[in-house]
Structures are given as C-alpha cells and as structure tokens.
Amino acid sequence: MAARIGVGGIFIECNHFTSQLADRAAFERSERLCGGELLARNTGVLGGMMSVLRANDCEPVPLLYASACPSGVVREEVYDALKNVLLELLNNAVQLDGILLCLHGAGAAINAPDMEGDLTRAIRKRVGDEVPIVSTLDLHAHITPELLAHTDVLLAWETYPHVDAFKTGERGAQAMVDILAGRLKPVMAMAKVPIIVSAIHGRTQQPGPFADVMHEAKRLEDSGTLYSINPILVHPYLNLPDMGGGVLVVANECKTDAVDAAKRLAWRYWENRHELQPETLKPSEAVQRGLQIEGGPVLLIETADCCGGGATGDSVHTLKALLAEAPDQSAIVPVVDPAGARRAHAVGVGQTIQLRLGHRLDPNWGDPVTVDGIVTRLSDGAFTYCGGIWDGRSGCMGPTAVVEVGPIQIVISSNATYDWMTEQFDLLRLDITACKFIVAKNPMNYQQAYTGSMKAAFVLDTPGPTPANTNALAYTGMTADWFPKKTGVTIDEPTVFVSRQRDLTP
Ligand SMILES: [Zn+2]
C-alpha cells in the first residue's frame, strides 16, 4: 500500500526589531493552501516534495501550508489559528506514515518565540514517536534543541541567493522515502558558534567566508557516509537566547559521526568570522563616491530596511541623501508608504503631489521627508516572482505609484515585498539600466539582480531593523558574548546538540 505522507507547514522569517507584527492579512496576501491547492503546487519546496513523493508511489496528504513575506513577529491569535487548523487536519487525516514540513526556521510568534520548535512539538505529540517528521528549512534558520528534539531530519537550502527551493523539497521528500524504505536511520547534530552577522558576505558561491564552509561541507558529504551536511547562517534579526550559525549534520545511525563533522565544520566557520563583517558607508558618502564613477547604475544598498529580512521598507534615509547630494541624477528608490500610495492614486497620473513620505509604518528608525513631485505611473502592485523561493508565486505590493521628483523616481508601494530579481521595478516598466543610482533594500539578492549591469555597489550604514552591521542592534536575548559584539571573543569549542534516535522501522 502506498505510504501516506502529511505535507504542510508555516513559513515565515521574523524580525524582533521592527514594530510591525505579522497579521492575518500578511498570510492572506501570500498563501494559505489546503487540499487540492496544496497538492497542485509544482514549484518551490512543495513542488519538489510532490514530485519525489509521487515518483516513489507515496500519497501526499494535504495538511495546511501558510506563508508570508518576512516581517515582525506573528500575532498570537494568527499563529494559534494557523497551528490549530494544521493540527486539526492532522487529527482528521487517516493513518499517516510520515510528516513532511516546509518551515523557515526563523519564525517567531508572540506566544511562541521558537515557533518551529513549538509547532513540531505539537505535531510530535499527536503523531507519536513512530512516525518520522522531516522538515526543510532556510539556511537562515535559528536551530534550537527543541526543533531538533521533535524532528528526525532537517535539511536547509544550500544556496544563497536561495535558488534551490525545488531541490530542497526533493531532498526532504527523498529523506522521507529513505526512512520509510529502512535505508536511513537518521540522527542529527547541530554545532553552533556565537556569530550574529548580516548576510552581506553570506553568499555560497566561492570565494567567501561562508562559501568556504559550504564548499567543504559538500566535499565531505560527497566523499563520505554522512547523509546531509548543511551550514547555517542564522537569521541575525531575531532577539533570542543562544543565537548563532553553525553546521547541521544528518548521519545514518552513527551519532558520533554527526557530532564530529558538525563540530569540525562549525569551527571552520568560526575561524572565518572576521571576513563576515561588512564595510559600510554613510549614504551621502556613497552618493559622492557614485558620482565619481562613470555611468550607472550605481547600487546603494540600504540593507537596514530589507523587507526580505522583516523590515517595513519605509526608510527614506538614502532618498534624503539623493535629494540633497544628487538631485539632478536619475535614480530609482523604493519606499513602502500606504498612505502616500493612496494619495497618489487619488490625484492620478500626470498630477503634481506633495507627500510626507517614509518612516510611518515603523517610526523608530527615522523621520519622514517632504517631497514635491509628479505622479507618473499607477499600478495595483501585483507581480509574479521568477525563480528563487517564491518562484511562480504572486507578489503583492498593493496600490503602488511612481512619483517623480526631477529625475528621481520614487516607487511608493502599500505593502512590503521580498526582493528577488527586479520584478517590482519591471512591473512599473522602470528602466534600471538607464539610471545613475538604484536603491536596493536587500543584502544579497541585488548581486544577482544587477549582475552585468551595475557599475558599483555600496553597502550603507543607515538606521533600521536589518542593518549591515549587527552591532547597531541591542540584542537583549543573548546571555554570553558573541561576534561581533565583542570582536575578540573566544570559545573553547562549538556548542553541540543532537536529535533523539527513534525506532522508525516501518
Ligand atoms: Zn534565507
């Protein structure tokens, strides 16, 4: 008889330093899949899972899958409602042989700071110790002993920028198939080191300090008997105890193998820590430097306001620098400001408008700027992602307008959206190659989005909940010292925790 595998998850990356919470609408704008809709997914993690399950004559049983754009933490009632629906579907599902989840690993709810630990505990309680639980994660997961205790296999993306969502789904489903076939008796070890750095130098393509660890991990995985080795860059904008990156290893039966490899590679990551720290410029310095460069676009990386890291996208720090230092240069600047977008829609295309723009969703990080411009484009803000973890999925900026202040084009959207390539700008038919400056509010994906077109990129030091230098934030959850809070911090060895070895013999 075909094995019946429950498939679901709650996928969100949360930020403790922004005041905007994830509400119901945040999940409604993204996805909330049950039944046939979930089974029909053929892209992303779920698509990869479905293809391998079906190829191995397993029957996917849909639970609930909900996702949202990164944001502040999830409201208590929203998390409870999603969790309860998932658990109810689990209760009603007849005889499941395994549970396959797509989680992020850096989710946090007000009532469950370790959201994935809480969710997997609840699922484990219902299915008992005989049913394997396998989950995929983002490589920015905050992996806790709790999460490891309730799951049997955890696998994370192996690329950053994240281009392997489908493949990670396939790997997750394959692990489930291998467990059910008796080929895999998993045991996991996570070795952690106290590094909390932004993603600026986290790319997985060589050269780079994290790429070096990834390369070594894959070399070891390919040459040995370990089932899976995943280097982990923790999402740096949670404010929780025991944060840190490291290495997660899944071994077949042998706990010592898992622990040894995890420790060795986590130590390598620790040794590379100083290379992970970014160099930054103040916006005005970066604009001045950009003006010395011939042509464009010059990328101004305002990563402290990264919607893909949970910020609201409403900062105008770089816009202010452009207005002051280069008002006659063409530029594209995204700002999330629902009231501004509404006003622009109300006045209409071709009309002049005065707006007080920015820092209204998360007012902790700056003051608005007053601009006088012309509304040149209006849109409903709906676009489709091409590639990455949201491949094929719709993105929802909500009512959006382009307001031009001289040659500076300000993209005013209503909702924060994750940056992958340049989908948001393409929707508005903005010519990114014709610009002197582009403000990109992400620490990594700009590198692929503007490959071949950008003349230079400067990482900016601006206030915000997702800064390039994590020393700008007050981490109150951490008890011990960490890098780079104390650049000279030393450790004796990585902290290691291991999963429970269950008897999963089918
Ligand atoms: Zn990530």
Side-chain angles (χ1 to χ4, degrees):
M1 213 168 72
R4 288 166 49 80
I5 311 298
V7 180
I10 302 173
F11 185 96
I12 183 169
E13 180 180 79
C14 293
N15 184 314
H16 277 116
F17 299 97
T18 177
S19 53
Q20 278 263 309
L21 302 180
D23 56 13
R24 233 180 101 159
F27 287 91
E28 281 167 2
R29 277 198 300 276
S30 184
E31 53 191 350
R32 194 183 177 290
L33 306 174
C34 288
E37 271 189 318
L38 200 161
L39 293 178
R41 282 300 298 276
N42 55 11
T43 58
V45 175
L46 293 178
M49 287 175 171
M50 295 300 164
S51 79
V52 168
L53 289 179
R54 289 181 179 128
N56 287 276
D57 294 322
C58 294
E59 183 191 345
V61 178
L63 302 172
L64 167 75
Y65 179 72
S67 76
C69 178
S71 76
V73 297
V74 184
R75 284 186 181 281
E76 187 169 343
E77 68 278 11
V78 174
Y79 174 58
D80 284 346
L82 292 172
K83 178 179 161 185
N84 289 339
V85 170
L86 197 154
L87 294 177
E88 206 176 300
L89 288 161
L90 188 60
N91 281 340
N92 296 340
V94 182
Q95 225 233 304
L96 295 177
D97 300 293
I99 306 291
L100 198 47
L101 302 171
C102 171
L103 304 173
H104 185 287
I110 287 189
N111 53 332
D114 173 11
M115 200 182 86
E116 288 83 0
D118 179 79
L119 185 65
T120 52
R121 186 200 316 121
I123 293 172
R124 176 61 74 193
K125 202 172 152 200
R126 273 165 181 75
V127 301
D129 269 340
E130 296 76 37
V131 174
I133 301 178
V134 173
S135 181
T136 62
L137 299 171
D138 191 293
L139 67 68
H140 293 100
H142 168 52
I143 295 178
T144 61
E146 181 86 357
L147 177 60
L148 228 66
H150 304 303
T151 51
D152 299 294
V153 171
L154 296 168
L155 301 163
W157 331 130
E158 298 175 329
T159 57
Y160 188 36
H162 306 318
V163 295
D164 58 339
F166 189 89
K167 188 179 160 208
T168 307
E170 289 181 318
R171 289 166 59 219
Q174 188 60 50
M176 179 61 74
V177 168
D178 290 343
I179 292 171
L180 295 177
R183 289 189 292 268
L184 173 62
K185 300 185 192 317
V187 57
M188 295 187 283
M190 173 73 198
K192 227 181 225 198
V193 288
I195 298 175
I196 308 178
V197 286
S198 73
I200 298 287
H201 293 310
R203 68 169 178 268
T204 50
Q205 201 182 358
Q206 298 232 65
F210 188 68
D212 168 65
V213 182
M214 184 62 78
H215 180 76
E216 184 57 17
K218 293 302 115 185
R219 195 190 63 75
L220 205 66
E221 190 184 286
D222 291 343
S223 63
T225 54
L226 293 166
Y227 188 80
S228 158
I229 308 178
N230 277 155
I232 299 291
L233 276 174
V234 69
H235 173 55
Y237 310 119
L238 291 170
N239 185 9
L240 293 173
D242 305 318
M243 301 257 294
V247 176
L248 171 70
V249 176
V250 183
N252 200 348
E253 279 192 279
C254 185
K255 186 162 88 179
T256 323
D257 286 357
V259 170
D260 288 351
K263 262 182 161 172
R264 198 163 64 246
L265 285 163
W267 189 256
R268 189 170 178 130
Y269 180 49
W270 178 248
E271 288 184 326
N272 293 351
R273 65 193 178 283
H274 293 283
E275 291 174 56
L276 290 157
Q277 271 297 72
E279 286 185 359
T280 58
L281 294 177
K282 290 289 178 195
S284 56
E285 277 178 85
V287 171
Q288 286 302 332
R289 283 236 218 151
L291 289 171
Q292 308 303 314
I293 293 167
E294 198 179 324
V298 170
L299 273 284
L300 302 172
I301 309 303
E302 192 175 356
T303 187
D305 191 32
C306 173
C307 298
T312 52
D314 70 345
S315 167
V316 291
H317 286 291
T318 312
L319 173 61
K320 284 178 182 172
L322 285 166
L323 290 167
E325 312 274 338
D328 55 346
Q329 298 289 323
S330 57
I332 299 176
V333 188
V335 179
V336 181
D337 189 312
R342 237 184 346 263
R343 288 251 343 265
H345 274 255
V347 304
V349 170
Q351 303 302 308
T352 57
I353 189 169
Q354 184 177 74
L355 290 171
R356 226 169 127 60
L357 203 61
H359 299 287
R360 292 199 281 195
L361 295 171
D362 188 8
N364 295 326
W365 307 100
D367 299 314
V369 63
T370 300
V371 293
D372 291 287
I374 300 169
V375 180
T376 55
R377 289 182 173 97
L378 295 173
S379 165
D380 65 359
F383 63 92
T384 303
Y385 285 106
C386 190
I389 59 174
W390 307 106
D391 186 26
R393 296 256 329 290
S394 53
C396 175
M397 289 190 282
T400 298
V402 177
V403 171
E404 292 188 10
V405 179
I408 299 176
Q409 299 177 297
I410 309 172
V411 177
I412 306 172
S413 61
S414 297
N415 303 317
T417 52
Y418 172 87
D419 289 343
W420 176 243
M421 297 299 279
T422 53
E423 288 92 342
Q424 291 93 328
F425 296 161
D426 297 343
L427 172 75
L428 297 156
R429 303 184 313 283
L430 299 176
D431 185 355
I432 56 166
T433 58
C435 267
K436 175 67 191 176
F437 291 106
I438 295 175
V439 176
K441 294 183 170 179
N442 68 72
M444 174 59 64
N445 293 348
Y446 75 88
Q447 293 186 15
Q448 58 172 11
Y450 299 95
T451 301
S453 66
M454 66 179 169
K455 292 284 185 296
F458 298 112
V459 177
L460 305 185
D461 170 19
T462 56
T466 54
N469 190 332
T470 51
N471 279 335
L473 298 175
Y475 292 89
T476 53
M478 292 290 284
T479 48
D481 284 329
W482 70 95
F483 179 87
K485 168 80 175 169
K486 203 173 173 186
T487 46
V489 62
T490 56
I491 57 168
D492 294 331
E493 59 173 7
T495 306
V496 181
F497 41 94
V498 295
S499 66
R500 280 184 55 194
Q501 279 177 286
R502 296 181 177 82
D503 181 9
L504 301 170
T505 315

